Amino acid sequence: MERLLDFLVITLFIVIGIILYRLLLRRLSKGKVDMESFCTLYSLEKNPVSGEVEFYFVSPDMIKVEFSIWKENDKVVELKNDYFKKGGHIVRFDSTTLPDGEYFFGLVTSKQRTIKRFKIQNN
């Protein structure tokens, strides 16, 4: 009888330990960003750019993306505003439509805003 009682006490401590461990893991994972739900925007291969530019990003799932170019805080051109399937996408832009200078390109979704700097130098 005493062995059974010892076994039950040890089992109880093991179960309580497992429950506390899971609660600790849950608490530590709070606030952790799920990077798999965000688009990945890649930098340009050539900077400064001239002529046609290809912007590349990867979508984690079917998601609505607004892809634009900004000059400081002002939106200059909205290149795409549509749903994109999971996978890699190229957005093309003719840089000769804008004067030379520093700009930002990027995408905006319901969960994120990702922007990168680039320079147009056509002359």
Side-chain angles (χ1 to χ4, degrees), residues 16-90:
I16 290 173
I18 291 171
I19 291 171
L20 290 175
Y21 178 71
R22 286 189 175 191
L23 288 173
L24 177 66
L25 286 179
R26 186 179 302 154
R27 182 166 179 107
L28 290 176
S29 68
K30 270 188 181 178
K32 192 174 184 181
V33 178
D34 179 19
M35 295 303 290
E36 293 178 7
S37 63
F38 291 98
C39 292
T40 304
L41 179 64
Y42 289 86
S43 298
L44 296 173
E45 290 180 7
K46 186 176 98 173
N47 197 6
V49 301
S50 62
E52 186 175 81
V53 183
E54 293 182 339
F55 302 109
Y56 181 71
F57 72 96
V58 177
S59 175
D61 210 351
M62 176 69 89
I63 190 167
K64 185 170 185 181
V65 175
E66 176 192 320
F67 201 99
S68 302
I69 294 177
W70 293 269
K71 178 84 171 179
E72 296 177 13
N73 290 330
D74 301 322
K75 187 188 300 184
V76 179
V77 179
E78 184 176 287
L79 300 175
K80 293 279 186 177
N81 191 348
D82 205 356
Y83 284 90
F84 288 87
K85 295 178 187 175
K86 180 179 181 175
H89 303 279
I90 295 175

